[in-house]
Amino acid sequence: MPTALTLLAHPDDAEILCAGTLVRLADAGWQIHIATATPGDCGTMTATRFDISATRTNEAKASAAMIGATYHCLDERDGLVVYDKPTVQKAIDLFRRIAPALVFTHPQDDYMMDHVETSKLARAASFVYGAPNISAFPLLPGSKIPHLYYCDPIEGIDSLARPAQPTTLVDVSGQHEKKLQMLSKHASQREWLRAHHGMDEYLEAAKRHDAARGRLINRPFAEAFVQHRGHAYPNNDLLIELFGTC
Ligand SMILES: [Zn+2]
């Protein structure tokens, strides 16, 4: 069974950025793994970091279960994700245990540094996890450099407010209701976002963004990606081959 992995910073990032595509992959027979760098321990104005981590881990697991996916966490701390040797090793070991053929992560620039550092972790692990000596975990069959896609930056703009230029748009119109149901599993975040970001539209923001992406292909909803095409990475656009569109 082909395997896809998202390595994103926080619980709910996968649901916001690529859950529609994950639903499509799961429906097509892919095994899905959803990993986060942190358990979302700062995503609260009131709970202790232990309580909110437990709450958000359960929310992430419940969301993943909706598509038969497995949830993983590198157990780093919110706001403190760094690209350093121990954390790269954790990411490599995660990849090693999963052997993903398809990986999603954050873009190389985004609104906050946890996303930027997690993107670097995923890029590093994707390149090297198939090298026998890089991890103590056994090398699974099929371990090789995967197709790597960067999700949209939050709100579709980088840290200098420049709009992202997608290489790949996936029509998720038929999957969008389920995407919102997955996002709704992260109930704790509706309150947190209202308090910290001044926005009370957790689901509406996802709808608005995906509708804007959908307009680029004349469909109700789409998710946008940029494919990593550096040396040694597969160059064919696997998502387009699987799902069409552009
Ligand atoms: Zn995030």
Side-chain angles (χ1 to χ4, degrees):
M1 185 182 290
T3 302
L5 166 68
T6 68
L7 177 52
L8 297 160
H10 310 113
D12 80 6
D13 281 332
E15 287 77 0
I16 292 169
L17 298 169
C18 61
T21 302
L22 298 181
V23 172
R24 286 199 77 166
L25 287 164
D27 288 346
W30 284 65
Q31 180 66 49
I32 310 296
H33 293 264
I34 297 174
T36 63
T38 87
D41 48 289
C42 286
T44 177
M45 298 293 277
T46 53
T48 68
R49 63 190 174 96
F50 306 105
D51 288 342
I52 191 64
S53 295
T55 297
R56 298 193 67 184
T57 297
N58 286 328
E59 290 170 348
K61 287 166 70 174
S63 169
M66 288 189 64
I67 54 170
T70 305
Y71 174 66
H72 309 263
C73 182
L74 297 186
D75 205 22
E76 294 299 306
R77 299 280 76 80
D78 268 0
L80 299 172
V81 178
V82 290
Y83 180 86
D84 64 4
K85 196 182 295 184
T87 317
V88 175
Q89 187 71 59
K90 277 194 204 178
I92 290 169
D93 289 346
L94 175 73
F95 277 57
R96 186 72 157 229
R97 289 159 45 215
I98 294 170
L102 171 59
V103 172
F104 299 92
T105 190
H106 293 291
Q108 293 180 346
D109 188 24
D110 205 343
Y111 83 111
M112 66 101 68
M113 289 306 293
D114 284 354
H115 286 208
V116 175
E117 296 293 291
T118 301
S119 180
K120 288 195 279 185
L121 292 168
R123 178 180 170 184
S126 68
F127 187 82
V128 78
Y129 88 88
N133 293 344
I134 200 67
S135 171
F137 286 91
L139 198 59
L140 297 178
S143 296
K144 62 180 181 183
I145 297 175
H147 285 82
L148 174 62
Y149 287 89
Y150 300 113
C151 297
D152 257 340
I154 299 298
E155 297 181 347
I157 54 174
D158 71 12
S159 61
L160 300 177
R162 294 174 297 204
Q165 304 292 334
T167 60
T168 306
L169 288 150
V170 176
D171 178 7
V172 296
S173 305
Q175 293 73 34
H176 210 258
E177 188 57 41
K178 192 162 188 179
K179 166 175 174 149
L180 295 180
Q181 290 170 6
M182 291 173 70
L183 189 53
S184 298
K185 295 291 185 189
H186 295 271
S188 67
Q189 294 311 289
R190 273 172 142 158
E191 289 308 310
W192 153 240
L193 285 176
R194 179 170 15 213
H196 186 264
H197 288 45
M199 80 189 225
D200 184 26
E201 42 177 18
Y202 197 47
L203 304 186
E204 291 302 318
K207 278 193 224 173
R208 204 165 46 240
H209 182 75
D210 295 347
R213 288 317 198 189
R215 283 194 287 277
L216 297 176
I217 53 171
N218 296 313
R219 295 291 296 151
F221 296 108
E223 290 171 343
F225 304 95
V226 172
Q227 186 179 4
H228 185 91
R229 289 191 166 117
H231 173 72
Y233 281 81
N235 261 261
N236 62 310
D237 194 328
L238 179 63
L239 292 177
I240 297 302
E241 290 174 10
L242 287 170
F243 303 129
T245 63
C246 62

